[in-house]
Amino acid sequence: MAISARNVFEGTVTALTPGAVNAELVIGTAGGVGIVATVTMQSVETLGLELGRKAVAIVKSPSVIVVAGTPGYRFSARNQLAGTVAAISAGAVNSEVGIDVGGVLVQAVITNHAIAELGLSIGAPATAIFKAGSVIVGVAV
């Protein structure tokens, strides 16, 4: 599968909580990272989502918020993946920041101004944050 999104997490469904309209599920990666997604109950049925099913979680890099150091706040976003900055690819206005989270690389696109203000550098602690509703779930056909 070729896709333009930078973050494609392969794994299996490790938790599935159905609701009246939506379901919350967790896709666990081989590295032990759990990605929380919210999908409609119709998507659960259409995709055949169930515990143990292989699936991918896809997140576009502009949807990822970067927090430097140890957050002094609590956030409502279900995905809060703490790690260290592994790569910074500078652009004219924005840069791509790769955060290593237990061997899984999470990519974010943020402004160069934000990188400077946050003091981001290779090896610095950082947390990648994104909402469960920003996660697209896919399965092999």
Side-chain angles (χ1 to χ4, degrees):
M1 166 177 71
I3 190 165
S4 66
R6 294 279 185 266
N7 299 298
V8 179
F9 307 102
E10 295 183 12
T12 59
V13 177
T14 58
L16 180 62
T17 306
V21 176
N22 292 330
E24 181 180 89
L25 61 107
V26 178
I27 297 175
T29 69
V33 175
I35 305 297
V36 181
T38 303
V39 299
T40 64
M41 288 303 297
Q42 182 176 355
S43 291
V44 170
E45 183 179 319
T46 302
L47 297 175
L49 295 172
E50 61 185 5
L51 293 177
R53 174 83 192 252
K54 290 190 182 300
V56 295
I58 300 167
V59 181
K60 291 184 61 79
S61 55
S63 297
V64 178
I65 296 168
V66 176
V67 177
T70 304
Y73 294 93
R74 295 187 326 194
F75 299 96
S76 63
R78 296 284 287 133
N79 295 288
Q80 299 179 36
L81 309 175
T84 57
V85 176
I88 299 175
S89 179
V93 176
N94 294 324
S95 293
E96 189 171 60
V97 177
I99 301 172
D100 183 341
V101 179
V104 174
L105 196 64
V106 180
Q107 300 284 354
V109 171
I110 63 175
T111 65
N112 294 336
H113 182 74
I115 288 173
E117 278 197 340
L118 294 173
L120 294 179
S121 61
I122 304 299
T127 301
I129 298 176
F130 51 94
K131 296 182 69 64
S134 296
V135 180
I136 298 168
V137 176
V139 298
V141 290

